[in-house]
Amino acid sequence: MSLSKLDEFQLKEYENISQAHFKTNEMMVAFYRYYLLIMALPISFLGAAFTSASEEEKISLLVNWYFSAGVFLLTIAFLGFFMMCYLTGLKLDALLYARTVNGVRAYFFKDASEEIIRVLPIEITQPTLTIFNFHTFIVLSFAAFNSLYLIVAFILLNINVSTVNSGPKIDIPDCVVGVSPVLIAISFIVHVLATMFLSTMHGRDWRGEA
């Protein structure tokens, strides 16, 4: 059976897009591992610094480095947010590749004269553009880690350090404690809305909409 040029093109397209799909998934896994490593580094560093320190040394470290630590953790939180956006973009690209593969598969199945057992889908509208399935857990993990660092940074940047007879004194204003749960809620909402926005924008790009 000879293949037409279009058949050969479709087969080559199937091969290339399938490889791109699997490579994208591998990139997502590797990228998420790097994210977890970045998130673990500050906790590991602080744990090592405070575990062996005396109470006076802990207070001294906090007094001398609270502002720098707050800026650093705030940077980590924003970096984590942008990493989530990038990972979400990779996920949406993987969905596009899967749709393309389905279209090529449909091209060959539509003219099949004999009944063939088919397991994989052929609908070009599948998978759906929404990524709130198993990817939801990844988004929520990003939101949890980023919110944690955001709140710790917010507290560090708003603590009051004063000097008394016994030495430095650290106070956390009540308003900072009260606002913290609100910031956590806002952070989670921003992560979810950003994911929905990226999904919508990718959908428009696929459909060629302005």
Side-chain angles (χ1 to χ4, degrees):
M1 176 181 177
S2 60
L3 298 177
S4 65
K5 290 185 178 180
L6 181 58
D7 292 340
E8 293 177 355
F9 170 79
Q10 294 284 10
L11 287 174
K12 194 63 177 179
E13 185 81 347
Y14 185 90
E15 179 182 349
N16 293 336
I17 296 299
S18 296
Q19 291 179 0
H21 175 73
F22 291 120
K23 289 292 184 181
T24 302
N25 286 325
E26 290 176 359
M27 287 178 58
M28 290 172 55
V29 172
F31 200 79
Y32 189 62
R33 287 176 179 172
Y34 291 139
Y35 168 77
L36 293 178
L37 178 62
I38 293 174
M39 292 293 107
L41 283 177
I43 297 176
S44 302
F45 176 78
L46 293 175
F50 278 87
T51 298
S52 58
S54 62
E55 290 298 324
E56 292 78 10
E57 290 173 337
K58 291 178 182 178
I59 294 176
S60 178
L61 283 172
L62 190 57
V63 168
N64 294 326
W65 294 97
Y66 75 93
F67 184 80
S68 298
V71 173
F72 176 72
L73 294 180
L74 185 63
T75 302
I76 291 292
F78 278 100
L79 178 63
F81 173 77
F82 291 120
M83 290 178 72
M84 183 208 71
C85 293
Y86 179 74
L87 189 65
T88 299
L90 289 178
K91 174 61 180 177
L92 291 167
D93 286 340
L95 294 179
L96 173 60
Y97 296 150
R99 284 187 167 195
T100 304
V101 169
N102 290 349
V104 177
R105 194 181 294 120
Y107 171 81
F108 287 101
F109 270 94
K110 64 182 177 63
D111 294 329
S113 57
E114 54 192 47
E115 186 173 346
I116 302 176
I117 298 177
R118 179 178 58 82
V119 178
L120 296 176
I122 60 174
E123 294 80 11
I124 60 173
T125 58
Q126 296 295 327
T128 58
L129 297 183
T130 177
I131 60 175
F132 287 102
N133 36 57
F134 69 89
H135 188 73
T136 303
F137 299 105
I138 296 179
V139 173
L140 292 178
S141 67
F142 271 97
F145 278 114
N146 296 338
S147 298
L148 172 64
Y149 282 108
L150 177 65
I151 291 304
V152 174
F154 176 72
I155 293 175
L156 289 175
L157 293 174
N158 288 278
I159 62 175
N160 296 322
V161 179
S162 58
T163 303
V164 295
N165 294 332
S166 58
K169 181 182 179 182
I170 299 174
D171 291 322
I172 301 177
D174 293 337
C175 61
V176 172
V177 178
V179 170
S180 295
V182 178
L183 285 180
I184 293 176
I186 293 175
S187 177
F188 269 82
I189 292 173
V190 168
H191 281 75
V192 174
L193 290 179
T195 304
M196 295 174 63
F197 173 77
L198 290 172
S199 178
T200 302
M201 293 304 297
H202 270 68
R204 290 179 178 177
D205 291 340
W206 296 350
R207 293 188 297 268
E209 297 178 2

